[in-house]
mmCIF file with all atom_site columns, all heavy atoms in Angstrom:
data_model
loop_
_atom_site.group_PDB
_atom_site.id
_atom_site.type_symbol
_atom_site.label_atom_id
_atom_site.label_alt_id
_atom_site.label_comp_id
_atom_site.label_asym_id
_atom_site.label_entity_id
_atom_site.label_seq_id
_atom_site.pdbx_PDB_ins_code
_atom_site.Cartn_x
_atom_site.Cartn_y
_atom_site.Cartn_z
_atom_site.occupancy
_atom_site.B_iso_or_equiv
_atom_site.pdbx_formal_charge
_atom_site.auth_seq_id
_atom_site.auth_comp_id
_atom_site.auth_asym_id
_atom_site.auth_atom_id
_atom_site.pdbx_PDB_model_num
ATOM 1  N N   . PHE N 1 72 ? -4.273  -0.988  2.421  1.00 86.00 ? 72 PHE N N   1
ATOM 2  C CA  . PHE N 1 72 ? -3.655  0.217   2.122  1.00 86.00 ? 72 PHE N CA  1
ATOM 3  C C   . PHE N 1 72 ? -2.974  0.243   0.805  1.00 86.00 ? 72 PHE N C   1
ATOM 4  O O   . PHE N 1 72 ? -2.979  1.166   0.061  1.00 86.00 ? 72 PHE N O   1
ATOM 5  C CB  . PHE N 1 72 ? -2.771  0.609   3.326  1.00 86.00 ? 72 PHE N CB  1
ATOM 6  C CG  . PHE N 1 72 ? -2.130  2.021   3.171  1.00 86.00 ? 72 PHE N CG  1
ATOM 7  C CD1 . PHE N 1 72 ? -3.042  3.044   3.439  1.00 86.00 ? 72 PHE N CD1 1
ATOM 8  C CD2 . PHE N 1 72 ? -0.856  2.324   2.712  1.00 86.00 ? 72 PHE N CD2 1
ATOM 9  C CE1 . PHE N 1 72 ? -2.512  4.446   3.248  1.00 86.00 ? 72 PHE N CE1 1
ATOM 10 C CE2 . PHE N 1 72 ? -0.418  3.646   2.407  1.00 86.00 ? 72 PHE N CE2 1
ATOM 11 C CZ  . PHE N 1 72 ? -1.167  4.632   2.753  1.00 86.00 ? 72 PHE N CZ  1
ATOM 12 N N   . PHE N 1 73 ? -2.195  -0.835  0.640  1.00 86.00 ? 73 PHE N N   1
ATOM 13 C CA  . PHE N 1 73 ? -1.444  -0.960  -0.615 1.00 86.00 ? 73 PHE N CA  1
ATOM 14 C C   . PHE N 1 73 ? -2.072  -1.693  -1.733 1.00 86.00 ? 73 PHE N C   1
ATOM 15 O O   . PHE N 1 73 ? -1.454  -1.745  -2.849 1.00 86.00 ? 73 PHE N O   1
ATOM 16 C CB  . PHE N 1 73 ? -0.005  -1.584  -0.247 1.00 86.00 ? 73 PHE N CB  1
ATOM 17 C CG  . PHE N 1 73 ? 0.754   -0.964  0.652  1.00 86.00 ? 73 PHE N CG  1
ATOM 18 C CD1 . PHE N 1 73 ? 0.923   -1.337  1.908  1.00 86.00 ? 73 PHE N CD1 1
ATOM 19 C CD2 . PHE N 1 73 ? 1.360   0.232   0.160  1.00 86.00 ? 73 PHE N CD2 1
ATOM 20 C CE1 . PHE N 1 73 ? 1.758   -0.684  2.748  1.00 86.00 ? 73 PHE N CE1 1
ATOM 21 C CE2 . PHE N 1 73 ? 2.127   1.072   1.139  1.00 86.00 ? 73 PHE N CE2 1
ATOM 22 C CZ  . PHE N 1 73 ? 2.264   0.525   2.467  1.00 86.00 ? 73 PHE N CZ  1
ATOM 23 N N   . MET N 1 74 ? -3.192  -2.533  -1.553 1.00 90.00 ? 74 MET N N   1
ATOM 24 C CA  . MET N 1 74 ? -3.651  -3.310  -2.520 1.00 90.00 ? 74 MET N CA  1
ATOM 25 C C   . MET N 1 74 ? -5.119  -3.085  -2.825 1.00 90.00 ? 74 MET N C   1
ATOM 26 O O   . MET N 1 74 ? -5.868  -2.535  -2.131 1.00 90.00 ? 74 MET N O   1
ATOM 27 C CB  . MET N 1 74 ? -3.494  -4.794  -1.946 1.00 90.00 ? 74 MET N CB  1
ATOM 28 C CG  . MET N 1 74 ? -2.202  -5.096  -1.691 1.00 90.00 ? 74 MET N CG  1
ATOM 29 S SD  . MET N 1 74 ? -2.021  -6.797  -0.931 1.00 90.00 ? 74 MET N SD  1
ATOM 30 C CE  . MET N 1 74 ? -0.313  -6.796  -0.348 1.00 90.00 ? 74 MET N CE  1
ATOM 31 N N   . GLN N 1 75 ? -5.434  -3.604  -4.111 1.00 92.00 ? 75 GLN N N   1
ATOM 32 C CA  . GLN N 1 75 ? -6.762  -3.506  -4.617 1.00 92.00 ? 75 GLN N CA  1
ATOM 33 C C   . GLN N 1 75 ? -7.420  -4.857  -4.662 1.00 92.00 ? 75 GLN N C   1
ATOM 34 O O   . GLN N 1 75 ? -6.701  -5.796  -5.326 1.00 92.00 ? 75 GLN N O   1
ATOM 35 C CB  . GLN N 1 75 ? -6.675  -2.746  -5.987 1.00 92.00 ? 75 GLN N CB  1
ATOM 36 C CG  . GLN N 1 75 ? -7.982  -2.838  -6.702 1.00 92.00 ? 75 GLN N CG  1
ATOM 37 C CD  . GLN N 1 75 ? -7.806  -2.282  -8.088 1.00 92.00 ? 75 GLN N CD  1
ATOM 38 O OE1 . GLN N 1 75 ? -6.718  -1.903  -8.574 1.00 92.00 ? 75 GLN N OE1 1
ATOM 39 N NE2 . GLN N 1 75 ? -8.860  -2.456  -9.008 1.00 92.00 ? 75 GLN N NE2 1
ATOM 40 N N   . ALA N 1 76 ? -8.553  -5.150  -4.282 1.00 93.00 ? 76 ALA N N   1
ATOM 41 C CA  . ALA N 1 76 ? -9.184  -6.517  -4.477 1.00 93.00 ? 76 ALA N CA  1
ATOM 42 C C   . ALA N 1 76 ? -9.462  -6.707  -5.921 1.00 93.00 ? 76 ALA N C   1
ATOM 43 O O   . ALA N 1 76 ? -9.990  -5.862  -6.512 1.00 93.00 ? 76 ALA N O   1
ATOM 44 C CB  . ALA N 1 76 ? -10.337 -6.544  -3.715 1.00 93.00 ? 76 ALA N CB  1
ATOM 45 N N   . ILE N 1 77 ? -9.098  -7.946  -6.387 1.00 95.00 ? 77 ILE N N   1
ATOM 46 C CA  . ILE N 1 77 ? -9.478  -8.284  -7.709 1.00 95.00 ? 77 ILE N CA  1
ATOM 47 C C   . ILE N 1 77 ? -10.148 -9.659  -7.764 1.00 95.00 ? 77 ILE N C   1
ATOM 48 O O   . ILE N 1 77 ? -9.903  -10.400 -6.799 1.00 95.00 ? 77 ILE N O   1
ATOM 49 C CB  . ILE N 1 77 ? -8.232  -8.221  -8.664 1.00 95.00 ? 77 ILE N CB  1
ATOM 50 C CG1 . ILE N 1 77 ? -7.092  -9.115  -8.078 1.00 95.00 ? 77 ILE N CG1 1
ATOM 51 C CG2 . ILE N 1 77 ? -7.836  -6.895  -8.865 1.00 95.00 ? 77 ILE N CG2 1
ATOM 52 C CD1 . ILE N 1 77 ? -5.795  -9.201  -9.074 1.00 95.00 ? 77 ILE N CD1 1
#
Side-chain angles (χ1 to χ4, degrees):
F72 187 76
F73 295 110
M74 299 178 194
Q75 170 190 353
I77 57 176

